[in-house]
Amino acid sequence: SPTSYTFMATGPKTLYAWAKDGSGSISLPVNRQIMYDPAAPTITFLSAIFITDTTALIQWHTSKAAKGSLYYGTVTPSVTIIENDYAVSHAITITGLNANTDYQVKVTASDATGRGPIESGIITFRTRQIADTTPPIIIQGPMALGISDNSARIVWSTDEPSSSSVTFNGGGASGSIDDPSLALFHQVVLTGLKPSTQYTFTASSTDRFGNGPVSSQAKSFTTRSAPDITPPRFISGPNALFIGDKRALIAWTTDEQSDSLVEYGKLPGTLDSAVAASDLNTTHSVQLSNLDANTTYYYRVKSRDAAGNEAVSAPVKEFTTKQQPVIVPLVLTRKPAIDYRSRSKARITWLTNKPADTKVLIGTDVNNMTEYTLMNPGTSHVMMLSGLLPKTAYIVFYSSTDLDGQTVSGYLGAASAQAPAINGVKRVYAVVADPAPPVAFTTYEFEDDIAPVITSGPTVTSTSDTTATVQWATNEISDSNVSCIPNGQVIPLTFGDISQTVSHTLILSGLTASTSYTCQATSADPLGNTQTSGSFNVITTATPDLTSPTISAGPTVILNGNGQATVTLTTDKAASSTLKYGLTGATLNDLITGLTTGTDHTLNLANLTPGSVYSYKLELTDPTGNPTESQVLSLSLKFGDCDNSATVNISEVQNAISMFLGLKQGAICVDYDAAGNVSISKVQKAINSFLGL
């Protein structure tokens, strides 16, 4: 409730997908095209997590729907567990293990046509000494999203796999919905609700050992007065990113939470293959795998909201895979940092230049580390660490591995590191030695009971006849919620996002034209401390907004060394941002997108070639879909080019010499590898740039 079904086909077929909710209602079938794929699956991101004294959760990804076997044992992986279903994301819990014992694990995979089996490498883990008696912790939410006149979706997340349960009451009725399946991200759909009615709900979760239930604070929402008939709106994209010889990532954003579907093929009129994700999000990314090299593919995307309204992108777009494998080095574009801590929790974040998994090890010493893993690859890495001891110093090891098997990792706060142990068992992370890793942070003695402070806003940064964008900032990470009451009415409309951040942006969709709304913004930190803003007004326009966003400040180029650069800019209204770049203005074949919609934009580029000049242009789209495009600009990594003019003049040569002599502070335009020194060879490179050599 709801129940999802997965179907497998070995030739060109039409896939009909539907869902049955707890009341027995059947939603209308939707066509999903899939295509036979002759390539064998590949295995990535094999991990052992949530390890106890007798169990361990083994998870991995395959490049296509596949099934196989899991093998484990204390000497060699010999005990076999066979998968029953085809899937891309795999998870099997091993039970009946011995406490404080080393185990080895490997997996195999074959597709529906029998291609395979492909075998993974072997990983090692050690079970814990004592049983798990700790209940799960709710680390995000709960929050009511996708609210319609007769339904609502309750979402929250926990720090370990656990069950989902929601009790609710309102409109003279009460009830509960339970889902015993174990998950980190929880969503329970309440159906059969009454329009214009306030409901109170509580979410709870229990782990696989019966610890719990842990219950949230009671929260409330009000159903809408009329059905939602407005489909999602595309805010950015779709765009094809990280294109290789065999894969590409299709990414886009929508103004409301919706599912993800990419239809693609080799002819613009025959999109006979598809990949889908059922989770409802505003930020969408779907990985296409097993593509043919040096081949043009055509694609479009579809997104359906909780009410079943579907948006289809247009026109059909295209991309061309690389002719040969090109493995782009995986690098950090923002270093890991602790951006939140309390008596019992802490959060670490970092960015990479390409999608990779997220892995964190934390402990009081290198021989007893607890592992947290998020398998779904992305460029933004966020991990909440829970169940910590008060007033305790912790060391933290971070790691991200991409689809090519490359890893960036290290101890937080250290220039280098050695692979730590997980309960005494060494793991391989391809890092160098550092026998004494530094303390990453110390938890507080007392629990945080102070609500977040709204430091700026809320500000309405864009409006149209049906949408508005609200932005605000808080002094600590917290979720985002906006409640609005139309003029002359009492039923509020609510919008939210359980992701925790200090810079908040919410797009309010499905509004009525020429209407004034009285709104308030609310943010709750990871411990539930809540702050609500004062009232502010949102006034929709009478007609659709046809004004494109403009750049009000910037763009500014900041060189970071080692072939990395950051482009920042500000727009006059909320918008999404995309940057296309290349070595000449005529071939801007590479592309990156901003992580959020807003007025302040930061785009991080990596793997640029020092000594080169790049051309780039910016593409901006507001929440109504109005686009704008900048002129082609230059981003110079020429040695010594400190003014980003794409040439080096005699004064810049003198600057380089002064940096070498210590008469002027060193700058990245000369110290291009960010090594912290300006050598004579670096000065020579600046002179060569001046001479055109």
Side-chain angles (χ1 to χ4, degrees), residues 373-687:
T373 298
L374 294 176
M375 187 170 55
N376 296 327
T379 57
S380 178
H381 307 273
V382 180
M383 185 68 75
M384 181 66 76
L385 312 171
S386 58
L388 307 182
L389 300 174
K391 205 175 180 181
T392 300
Y394 285 94
I395 57 174
V396 174
F397 187 85
Y398 65 89
S399 173
S400 281
T401 301
D402 66 16
L403 291 167
D404 297 311
Q406 302 177 106
T407 298
V408 291
S409 58
Y411 283 105
L412 186 61
S416 60
Q418 73 174 22
I422 301 185
N423 298 320
V425 178
K426 292 291 183 179
R427 300 292 293 273
V428 177
Y429 288 98
V431 292
V432 297
D434 185 348
V439 170
F441 69 94
T442 300
T443 51
Y444 295 129
E445 181 177 4
F446 302 103
E447 198 59 281
D448 175 20
D449 60 358
I450 301 175
V453 175
I454 296 176
T455 57
S456 65
T459 302
V460 180
T461 54
S462 70
T463 55
S464 71
D465 56 333
T466 59
T467 68
T469 305
V470 179
Q471 295 183 240
W472 70 99
T474 51
N475 68 328
E476 63 174 334
I477 62 168
S478 48
D479 60 19
S480 309
N481 190 277
V482 169
S483 177
C484 294
I485 299 177
N487 186 34
Q489 300 184 30
V490 295
I491 304 301
L493 303 176
T494 58
F495 309 85
D497 185 349
I498 66 171
S499 301
Q500 294 157 344
T501 181
V502 294
S503 299
H504 307 264
T505 300
L506 275 184
I507 299 174
L508 319 183
S509 59
L511 305 181
T512 303
S514 299
T515 302
S516 176
Y517 295 82
T518 300
C519 303
Q520 286 184 300
T522 301
S523 287
D525 69 16
L527 293 172
N529 302 307
T530 303
Q531 179 67 274
T532 299
S533 74
S535 297
F536 60 95
N537 292 326
V538 171
I539 302 175
T540 54
T541 58
T543 58
D545 175 20
L546 302 177
T547 303
S548 295
T550 61
I551 298 174
S552 56
T556 300
V557 175
I558 303 169
L559 300 182
N560 303 317
N562 294 307
Q564 298 189 41
T566 300
V567 177
T568 62
L569 64 143
T570 302
T571 50
D572 65 335
K573 61 193 297 193
S576 64
S577 53
T578 297
L579 186 150
K580 294 183 176 180
Y581 65 102
L583 285 172
T584 67
T587 55
L588 305 182
N589 292 330
D590 293 305
L591 182 150
I592 61 171
T593 61
L595 296 175
T596 59
T597 297
T599 53
D600 296 319
H601 307 265
T602 299
L603 299 119
N604 296 300
L605 293 87
N607 301 120
L608 305 176
T609 303
S612 300
V613 176
Y614 289 83
S615 297
Y616 74 94
K617 67 178 178 181
L618 295 157
E619 296 180 350
L620 307 166
T621 307
D622 69 14
T624 311
N626 299 307
T628 192
E629 187 174 287
S630 76
Q631 61 182 334
V632 177
L633 304 166
S634 291
L635 190 160
S636 176
L637 275 72
K638 270 195 172 182
F639 305 114
D641 184 13
C642 296
D643 60 2
N644 194 44
S645 64
T647 60
V648 176
N649 56 42
I650 190 64
S651 65
E652 289 175 319
V653 172
Q654 184 60 56
N655 279 338
I657 295 171
S658 297
M659 292 175 196
F660 169 69
L661 296 174
L663 303 176
K664 186 173 183 178
Q665 186 174 357
I668 292 295
C669 52
V670 178
D671 180 21
Y672 53 85
D673 58 2
N677 64 77
V678 175
S679 62
I680 190 65
S681 64
K682 293 179 180 178
V683 174
Q684 185 63 58
K685 285 183 179 289
I687 295 172

Side-chain angles (χ1 to χ4, degrees), residues 154-175:
I154 311 301
V155 300
W156 71 99
S157 62
T158 50
D159 67 335
E160 64 173 311
S162 50
S163 63
S164 309
S165 180
V166 172
T167 60
F168 64 97
N169 63 80
S174 62

Side-chain angles (χ1 to χ4, degrees), residues 82-122:
I82 300 175
E83 289 189 282
N84 295 320
D85 300 311
Y86 290 93
V88 173
S89 296
H90 306 257
I92 291 178
T93 298
I94 304 174
T95 60
L97 304 179
N98 297 321
N100 197 29
T101 303
D102 297 344
Y103 285 90
Q104 294 185 335
V105 174
K106 69 178 181 180
V107 296
T108 62
S110 300
D111 67 14
T113 65
R115 296 183 182 271
I118 301 299
E119 186 174 295
S120 73
I122 294 175

Side-chain angles (χ1 to χ4, degrees), residues 165-212:
S165 180
V166 172
T167 60
F168 64 97
N169 63 80
S174 62
S176 65
I177 296 179
D178 301 308
D179 183 355
S181 60
L182 303 177
L184 292 171
F185 181 77
H186 307 264
Q187 51 182 351
V188 173
V189 179
L190 309 182
T191 59
L193 308 180
K194 295 181 179 180
S196 303
T197 302
Q198 185 180 66
Y199 288 86
T200 301
F201 69 92
T202 301
S204 63
S205 291
T206 302
D207 72 14
R208 61 190 183 278
F209 303 107
N211 299 311

Side-chain angles (χ1 to χ4, degrees), residues 164-396:
S164 309
S165 180
V166 172
T167 60
F168 64 97
N169 63 80
S174 62
S176 65
I177 296 179
D178 301 308
D179 183 355
S181 60
L182 303 177
L184 292 171
F185 181 77
H186 307 264
Q187 51 182 351
V188 173
V189 179
L190 309 182
T191 59
L193 308 180
K194 295 181 179 180
S196 303
T197 302
Q198 185 180 66
Y199 288 86
T200 301
F201 69 92
T202 301
S204 63
S205 291
T206 302
D207 72 14
R208 61 190 183 278
F209 303 107
N211 299 311
V214 59
S215 298
S216 72
Q217 299 175 355
K219 295 190 174 183
S220 63
F221 67 90
T222 301
T223 51
R224 299 199 175 202
S225 57
D228 175 13
I229 58 173
T230 304
R233 190 191 303 271
F234 295 106
I235 304 302
S236 69
N239 292 306
L241 309 176
F242 311 112
I243 301 170
D245 61 321
K246 294 184 179 298
R247 59 176 178 256
L249 185 74
I250 310 301
W252 69 99
T253 59
T254 52
D255 66 340
E256 63 173 316
Q257 293 197 330
S258 49
D259 66 8
S260 309
L261 173 72
V262 177
E263 296 177 333
Y264 65 101
K266 296 179 181 179
L267 296 173
T270 309
L271 306 181
D272 52 4
S273 190
V275 180
S278 60
D279 291 342
L280 303 185
N281 295 294
T282 55
T283 301
H284 309 261
S285 60
V286 173
Q287 184 75 49
L288 307 184
S289 302
N290 298 308
L291 306 178
D292 293 333
N294 195 30
T295 301
T296 298
Y297 285 88
Y298 300 87
Y299 69 95
R300 68 180 179 183
V301 304
K302 297 180 178 180
S303 285
R304 286 180 303 189
D305 63 19
N309 303 303
E310 184 172 69
V312 182
S313 67
V316 171
K317 303 180 76 171
E318 66 181 84
F319 66 89
T320 301
T321 52
K322 306 291 186 184
Q323 186 169 2
Q324 296 177 340
V326 177
I327 298 180
V328 176
L330 177 68
V331 299
L332 296 171
T333 54
R334 191 178 70 200
K335 293 181 179 180
I338 299 293
D339 67 354
Y340 174 82
R341 58 177 168 152
S342 69
R343 184 177 186 267
S344 59
K345 296 180 183 179
R347 194 176 82 161
I348 181 174
T349 66
W350 68 92
L351 297 177
T352 53
N353 64 309
K354 54 191 293 195
D357 67 359
T358 304
K359 187 171 294 184
V360 176
L361 284 74
I362 180 173
T364 55
D365 63 77
V366 295
N367 291 314
N368 189 18
M369 306 284 280
T370 299
E371 180 174 339
Y372 295 79
T373 298
L374 294 176
M375 187 170 55
N376 296 327
T379 57
S380 178
H381 307 273
V382 180
M383 185 68 75
M384 181 66 76
L385 312 171
S386 58
L388 307 182
L389 300 174
K391 205 175 180 181
T392 300
Y394 285 94
I395 57 174
V396 174

